[in-house]
Amino acid sequence: MKKMDVIFRQVFFKNLKSKTWLWIVLGPLVLAAVFGGVFWLMNQTSKIGVVTSSPALTSTLKASSDADQRYISYSSTAAAKRAMADEDLDGVLTISTQPTTHASLIERTDGNGINQTQLQSVLAQAHTKEVAAQLKLSTTQLQGFFATPQLATTSVSVDKGKLVSRSAKTQKSGAMVGFILGMLIYTFVISYASMMAQEIGTEKGSRIEESILTAITPQAQFFGKLLGILALMAVQMAIYGVVTLAGGLLLQRLPKNPLSSLMTNIDLSGISLNMLLFSLAFFFVGTLTYTVLAALTGSLVANQEQIGQATTPIVMLGMLGYFGALIVAGGTSPILNIASYIPFLSTMMMPVRLGAGQVTAVAGWSALGINLVFLILFTWLTVKFYQTNVLSYSDGGMLKAFKRSWQLQRAARKPKPVKS
């Protein structure tokens, strides 16, 4: 146990101080800050100066102002252009009603973007009111003329032979949580599985593995490295938790929360405690399974040049699971249904299906159970191969190294002849 603790500390503290781990932690935060800044800039309120002689048009446009676009009345085009030159406006809208309603827009190239689709909709609404006034139509008559049949849509899922209704926002929220989880798993898999393969491949390629294993068993080395990698993951998750909490408190103090428009389309009530526990369990099992795979592939390399080959199966499996999660978020099929139960793919796909209401909680936990049993058996098998591989070198590539390891395992299981 003490020897395993030595390996754990060596892996944990060495990587904790490395620039590689620092970038693994800061990289996603930097990207999130960049995308958040771009999203915030794109959702700034656009100010449009309105010049028209029609009070009805002016009042309609002002009433249509919202957090994205604000309409401000000006007495003349010259005054509105001066305000735009002072960067107080992002555009100037001039509307003439004679002989017919006509509008022209001057837009600043360096200003906030103007949603012209929304603007045309507002102009159409204002024009309709203007025509209705000329035809002396009442508000009730106008509403009846333009009324369209309402289509009510209800999403349902099958739970124990019964139809359970789910709102579109709830379904979207659950799918989003599952997709974010899949993205996190993929990110952690690529980062830490590669780190695990690098750890083992570097020691084996530099031929110092023989010296290490004279003082410690391969099993203790394997689990010591595995625990060290898991501890690094836990530290990163703790940092992200603190940053998320601090970021949420900071956004609430801003005059315009950049996430407010996004949160209006999210139903947090659809994210249950069961969903969160399920997601965390899949995150742990998924990342651990890929890390064990990295230990297996890393032990097959003969030199440091082959470390890239050791990470290739991990990246390919991770990409399959990630793209499977992307596809299943928009709909399912028999092939995707089966794939969502297969280890390595299930860890990213099943949370999305559960969040979108495509499967019940029983099916989700069943998939988790399959992954957990597979993880236990796969870890046991990997430890067996690891004992053979770390001291075995093959210049024929990883496939030949695996075949040789398999032959050695079979030879070790054969009963030895009893000497007379």
Side-chain angles (χ1 to χ4, degrees), residues 353-369:
R353 294 193 66 202
L354 183 67
Q358 297 174 4
V359 293
T360 62
V362 175
W365 289 111
S366 299
L368 181 62

Side-chain angles (χ1 to χ4, degrees), residues 40-121:
W40 180 71
L41 290 174
M42 291 176 63
N43 284 271
Q44 290 293 300
T45 302
S46 302
K47 297 179 181 179
I48 304 173
V50 179
V51 182
T52 180
S53 58
S54 172
L57 286 171
T58 302
S59 61
T60 301
L61 287 166
K62 282 187 175 181
S64 302
S65 297
D66 55 22
D68 296 322
Q69 259 173 207
R70 181 183 170 195
Y71 300 95
I72 306 170
S73 177
Y74 280 84
S75 58
S76 65
T77 304
K81 286 183 177 180
R82 284 196 299 269
M84 187 167 65
D86 294 334
E87 299 185 0
D88 294 330
L89 295 176
D90 300 296
V92 175
L93 179 67
T94 305
I95 307 174
S96 60
T97 57
Q98 297 298 331
T100 59
T101 302
H102 174 75
S104 62
L105 175 67
I106 304 173
E107 187 177 3
R108 249 178 63 208
T109 56
D110 60 340
N112 296 320
I114 295 176
N115 188 340
Q116 295 192 20
T117 302
Q118 182 200 41
L119 179 57
Q120 289 176 348
S121 176

Side-chain angles (χ1 to χ4, degrees), residues 34-302:
V34 170
F35 283 117
V38 171
F39 181 80
W40 180 71
L41 290 174
M42 291 176 63
N43 284 271
Q44 290 293 300
T45 302
S46 302
K47 297 179 181 179
I48 304 173
V50 179
V51 182
T52 180
S53 58
S54 172
L57 286 171
T58 302
S59 61
T60 301
L61 287 166
K62 282 187 175 181
S64 302
S65 297
D66 55 22
D68 296 322
Q69 259 173 207
R70 181 183 170 195
Y71 300 95
I72 306 170
S73 177
Y74 280 84
S75 58
S76 65
T77 304
K81 286 183 177 180
R82 284 196 299 269
M84 187 167 65
D86 294 334
E87 299 185 0
D88 294 330
L89 295 176
D90 300 296
V92 175
L93 179 67
T94 305
I95 307 174
S96 60
T97 57
Q98 297 298 331
T100 59
T101 302
H102 174 75
S104 62
L105 175 67
I106 304 173
E107 187 177 3
R108 249 178 63 208
T109 56
D110 60 340
N112 296 320
I114 295 176
N115 188 340
Q116 295 192 20
T117 302
Q118 182 200 41
L119 179 57
Q120 289 176 348
S121 176
V122 173
L123 287 173
Q125 180 185 358
H127 177 65
T128 301
K129 289 184 178 180
E130 190 83 8
V131 173
Q134 293 174 4
L135 297 176
K136 297 181 180 179
L137 295 175
S138 64
T139 304
T140 304
Q141 290 173 324
L142 185 64
Q143 290 176 348
F145 183 75
F146 286 100
T148 56
Q150 297 294 321
L151 176 64
T153 303
T154 303
S155 300
V156 298
S157 60
V158 180
D159 187 2
K160 298 179 181 178
K162 296 181 180 180
L163 298 180
V164 180
S165 62
R166 292 173 60 89
S167 68
K169 289 177 67 175
T170 300
Q171 186 177 5
K172 186 186 297 184
S173 303
M176 184 188 68
V177 170
F179 173 72
I180 291 175
L181 174 70
M183 185 172 61
L184 278 175
I185 292 177
Y186 180 72
T187 303
F188 273 63
V189 160
I190 298 302
S191 302
Y192 287 99
S194 299
M195 186 183 296
M196 184 70 161
Q198 184 80 26
E199 278 282 332
I200 299 172
T202 301
E203 289 181 357
K204 189 177 177 183
S206 59
R207 296 298 196 272
I208 64 171
E209 197 71 67
E210 294 88 344
S211 301
I212 295 174
L213 294 180
T214 57
I216 191 172
T217 63
Q219 297 95 321
Q221 186 197 37
F222 173 85
F223 286 108
K225 288 183 179 295
L226 189 62
L227 290 175
I229 296 296
L230 290 179
L232 289 169
M233 290 186 196
V235 172
Q236 183 174 358
M237 291 301 296
I239 292 173
Y240 284 176
V242 172
V243 171
T244 301
L245 180 61
L249 295 174
L250 178 62
L251 289 175
Q252 291 179 356
R253 296 179 177 271
L254 294 178
K256 181 186 177 183
N257 190 335
L259 297 180
S260 58
S261 59
L262 182 63
M263 295 302 293
T264 55
N265 297 319
I266 299 175
D267 183 10
L268 295 178
S269 63
I271 305 173
S272 62
L273 178 62
N274 186 53
M275 173 66 182
L276 291 176
L277 291 175
F278 176 86
S279 300
L280 289 174
F282 247 117
F283 176 82
F284 176 77
V285 173
T287 51
L288 191 56
T289 304
Y290 274 97
T291 306
V292 172
L293 174 63
L296 175 61
T297 57
S299 66
L300 293 172
V301 304

